[in-house]
């Protein structure tokens, strides 16, 4: 009986790991940087991930660009 409980625990932990892996691969927040100008209106946050780069401006606009080729990345 204890063996099946350990197997179920391992199965659910592996499912949680796979979901975490998928979320971590999809999200563009791998490399984050921010630029804040003289006032808060010019603040820009940059996010770079495996598939796209995004810029979030303090005015609420979000602009994302999907990479044309992954082979040309740094």
């Amino acid at each position: 009986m204890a063996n099946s409980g350990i197997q179920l625990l391992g199965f659910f932990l592996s499912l949680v790991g796979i979901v975490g892996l998928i979320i971590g691969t999809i999200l563009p927040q791998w490399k984050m940087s921010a630029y804040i100008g003289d006032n808060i209106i010019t603040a820009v946050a940059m996010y770079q991930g495996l598939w796209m780069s995004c810029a979030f401006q303090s005015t609420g606009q979000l602009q994302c660009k999907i990479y044309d080729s992954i082979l040309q990345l740094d």
Side-chain angles (χ1 to χ4, degrees):
M1 189 68 178
N3 192 18
S4 64
I6 292 174
Q7 287 178 352
L8 282 174
L9 177 66
F11 178 73
F12 288 122
L13 286 177
S14 67
L15 285 179
V16 169
I18 289 173
V19 169
L21 177 72
I22 291 171
I23 290 173
T25 303
I26 291 173
L27 289 178
Q29 284 96 356
W30 280 48
K31 181 180 175 185
M32 297 172 62
S33 61
Y35 169 75
I36 300 174
D38 295 336
N39 54 17
I40 195 67
I41 295 174
T42 59
V44 177
M46 303 291 292
Y47 304 112
Q48 293 179 344
L50 290 177
W51 317 112
M52 68 179 75
S53 63
C54 296
F56 181 74
Q57 300 175 358
S58 60
T59 58
Q61 292 179 328
L62 177 66
Q63 298 173 341
C64 292
K65 180 183 181 294
I66 297 175
Y67 297 133
D68 295 330
S69 173
I70 295 177
L71 298 176
Q72 297 175 350
L73 297 177
D74 323 349

